[in-house]
Amino acid sequence: MHTLKVPTEINLLGHDEQALRLARVYEGMRKAGIEAALVRNLANIYYLTGRIYRGFIYLNPALDGPRYFVRQPNHLTGHGVHMIRKPEEIPSKLAGEGLSHPSSIAIELDSVCYAESVRLAKAMGMQAPETNLSPVMRGARAVKTSFEQELIKRSGVKHSLVYERIPHLYQEGMTDIEFQIEIERASRLEGCLGIFRVGGDDMELFMGNILTGENADTPSPYDFAMGGEGLNPSLPVGANGTVIKPGLPVMVDANGNYTGYMTDMTRCFVADKAREEAVKANQLSIEICKTLAAMMKPGVAAADLYKKAFAMAEDAGMADSFMGHRSHAGFVGHGLGIEINEAPVIAPRSRDILEAGNVIAIEPKFVIPGMGAVGIENTYIVGEEAPAECVTTAPEQIMLLD
Amino acid sequence: MHTLKVPTEINLLGHDEQALRLARVYEGMRKAGIEAALVRNLANIYYLTGRIYRGFIYLNPALDGPRYFVRQPNHLTGHGVHMIRKPEEIPSKLAGEGLSHPSSIAIELDSVCYAESVRLAKAMGMQAPETNLSPVMRGARAVKTSFEQELIKRSGVKHSLVYERIPHLYQEGMTDIEFQIEIERASRLEGCLGIFRVGGDDMELFMGNILTGENADTPSPYDFAMGGEGLNPSLPVGANGTVIKPGLPVMVDANGNYTGYMTDMTRCFVADKAREEAVKANQLSIEICKTLAAMMKPGVAAADLYKKAFAMAEDAGMADSFMGHRSHAGFVGHGLGIEINEAPVIAPRSRDILEAGNVIAIEPKFVIPGMGAVGIENTYIVGEEAPAECVTTAPEQIMLLD
């Protein structure tokens, strides 16, 4: 008999790290008046256990820990693990431990589909779903623990290494997609997991977004900062086969998921000499990033960060091309971690207030018609004091392609 | 002013192709007693328009065509296109056209989250969501039009070309992931879109699954045919860095999305000579595929296909390793097209009955402990008569790595 070599313990985080995360979730539940909850979303299960499984986590702060109801895989072990085939088995499994559950159980109503939400509510003895756990989980995950910050820093190191290699991946005459494929390969060889985890069901992207020339000004359906036609109407974003022309900027926003926790970074490259307009816009982007980093500390309103960025663009006479030209993204930054679109959101009407431990990508980008997209993006960890720590360290100037 | 060069017409399918698809959806709505519906799911929007946008399609067979409510992008045109910021604007936009809507509107309750389903129902004047459109869309999409079949065949041609090149991508001493990265690059250079579209929210995969050695027997949380530890606990499936050893099979199940419509194909490779046990299992897999292809025609029960496959594995004394060893997948095949997990499902308790136009991947695979995974997978188009047409044409024997 061959022994299974992978760890089987349900909690890969260790007791202390899990306790830190649970404390945040329980505090959120308390504030929302939630006694108990079922977690089903894969990103939330990963947050609470350090691993992905299909099933549920039953959270009740009155108990000695979570209960894990696992549909798949079949090899997990540890305190509170129950194998189930369907959620209707949960109450009897709890009863088997001598546990009852409150009459109302919160569910992740922003991610679980209607049909399954109703089924889960009934399985737990409710007439219908009542309370939404999603905002609690979103709030908890917005503040990263030291260990999570460490995973983000590790992604940042590898991500930055790959970006420093990008100039050497270029060959004259390449199209945007050919260039992108070499960046993808370099990223994967450096350990990039490839997968681009995004919350919700209406954002899709493969391994990143490379834009040059007119294509940068094609509006895309997705709520990303930049657009592009893409290679096929089934995925209308990013590179579209444009040949990279000397003097035109190439914006590279490539996947930074090396550890399960992502960094987000954008840099621009150019074959031959960048035009003055591009250099100027890129410099403005760098200055906006620096200014926002210097502002980012606990208590600052996300909306004020956006307003500052927009004002700087306006002062430079670049408001029309800020965050797009034919179509404008409604934000200049976003939280990230397990997923690319976490809290806080740096947008004009955001109500988010920064906290220490937030991890935020700032991406002031400009689309210059006929030329392309220009600007940088960095990932910052918000500390107790400003400035926030930048974890994406590749050179910020427009880099020359070899 | 630079002119936008991408097509702006909302319906990229053309009138006739869209009419064929609408007829299937309307027939499903009629059978389910649904008068009108809102489509929101991106894969369903792509099915009905040939493009992706964020927003809704209002379907009412009594009208002269769909109404398109578009949040993003902002450049779409055509009959029935309305730009909106939020779904609450839909009734007044309809009223502006002189249209009222029925009191009950079906929603995709298997994919839209609870919170948004409730919001949509209220926006359309309902107390709560009532009727589920998801099964109607799933049923419609299960039977592909000639044009959809053409896109699948085109994916099959490119997918097969890449597989024939795989032996040349190997270098002695490679790990499974290094090998996979070269396959990814070759696929992308051939036009693979990379994205692996999957329905539901609990299956995740990057560009495919490469398995060799012990790793093939690691159960994964996802409902795929095969498992594997993966590179990181945040994505526990597939290659884990195992060095490819001479004599041990390497199973390659790589992304076949070249046109927005996917093919699914698996082949095995070996450096040096494959062991007899692997050759025998691969031959059994080939025979199961042939037998099922010869059975696949309209009216055949999907469950009977599964039973035949299982019986053949049992007769060969291979039941224990059929579709896994430590953990067994509960199916031997699945519909596919825009997403990798469409109807019908080839499983023991499936109630699906085959129809002409179904596109089905058949993947009888075996996990041999200590050695790896063996078997093939082909994509078939079900016609009026058996056998079904195989569109994945790479050689089926275990191929020798150069």
Side-chain angles (χ1 to χ4, degrees), chain B residues 308-328:
Chain B
K308 181 66 188 176
F310 186 80
M312 288 177 73
E314 213 169 23
D315 287 350
M318 301 281 284
D320 284 353
S321 57
F322 181 62
M323 301 308 293
H325 166 252
R326 280 200 174 85
S327 165
H328 295 85

Side-chain angles (χ1 to χ4, degrees), chain A residues 6 13 50 63 107 126 131 206 209 234 252-253 264 272 300 319 331 377 388:
Chain A
V6 297
L13 299 172
L63 301 186
I107 300 168
M126 298 151 70
T131 320
F206 181 54
N209 193 341
S234 68
V252 176
D253 186 353
D264 206 352
D272 210 346
V300 170
F331 60 92
E377 174 174 31

Side-chain angles (χ1 to χ4, degrees), chain A residues 298-348:
Chain A
V300 170
D304 288 343
L305 294 172
Y306 179 89
K307 285 168 195 160
K308 181 66 187 173
F310 186 80
M312 289 178 73
E314 213 169 23
D315 287 349
M318 300 281 284
D320 284 351
S321 57
F322 181 62
M323 301 308 292
H325 166 252
R326 279 202 175 83
S327 165
H328 295 85
F331 60 92
V332 73
H334 53 88
L336 73 162
I338 299 169
E339 292 173 314
I340 199 69
N341 52 346
E342 302 192 355
V345 178
I346 314 302

Side-chain angles (χ1 to χ4, degrees), chain B residues 143-301:
Chain B
V143 172
K144 275 71 180 172
T145 66
S146 301
F147 178 60
E148 290 181 288
Q149 292 177 31
E150 188 54 41
L151 291 176
I152 285 166
K153 286 181 193 174
R154 283 189 220 161
S155 271
V157 168
K158 298 206 163 198
H159 204 182
S160 302
L161 267 174
V162 169
Y163 268 66
E164 291 185 24
R165 271 183 222 134
I166 287 178
H168 315 300
L169 301 174
Y170 173 74
Q171 292 189 318
E172 212 181 302
M174 264 186 172
T175 63
D176 50 6
I177 184 67
E178 288 166 345
F179 189 39
Q180 176 168 346
I181 292 167
E182 300 312 318
I183 296 169
E184 289 170 2
R185 177 171 178 273
S187 301
R188 292 280 282 154
L189 286 171
E190 193 59 48
C192 183
L193 302 174
I195 195 175
F196 186 86
R197 209 172 245 125
V198 57
D201 63 349
D202 58 7
M203 278 160 79
E204 303 174 303
L205 189 63
F206 182 54
M207 257 192 85
N209 192 341
I210 313 285
L211 292 172
T212 192
E214 295 259 15
N215 184 44
D217 202 13
T218 307
S220 141
Y222 304 110
D223 200 17
F224 296 117
M226 295 283 109
E229 181 186 9
L231 293 172
N232 184 279
S234 69
L235 189 63
V237 61
N240 72 341
T242 299
V243 175
I244 294 171
K245 287 195 189 136
L248 294 193
V250 185
M251 175 180 273
V252 176
D253 186 353
N255 188 315
N257 181 7
Y258 291 82
T259 64
Y261 281 77
M262 282 180 268
T263 41
D264 206 352
M265 172 165 44
T266 301
R267 295 293 187 266
C268 289
F269 300 84
V270 68
D272 210 347
K273 196 174 150 45
R275 297 191 194 158
E276 199 181 331
E277 205 178 348
V279 174
K280 207 180 121 197
N282 196 67
Q283 194 54 41
L284 177 57
S285 179
I286 294 171
E287 279 159 28
I288 293 174
C289 281
K290 273 191 191 142
T291 304
L292 267 51
M295 289 170 70
M296 285 200 278
K297 63 178 181 183
V300 170

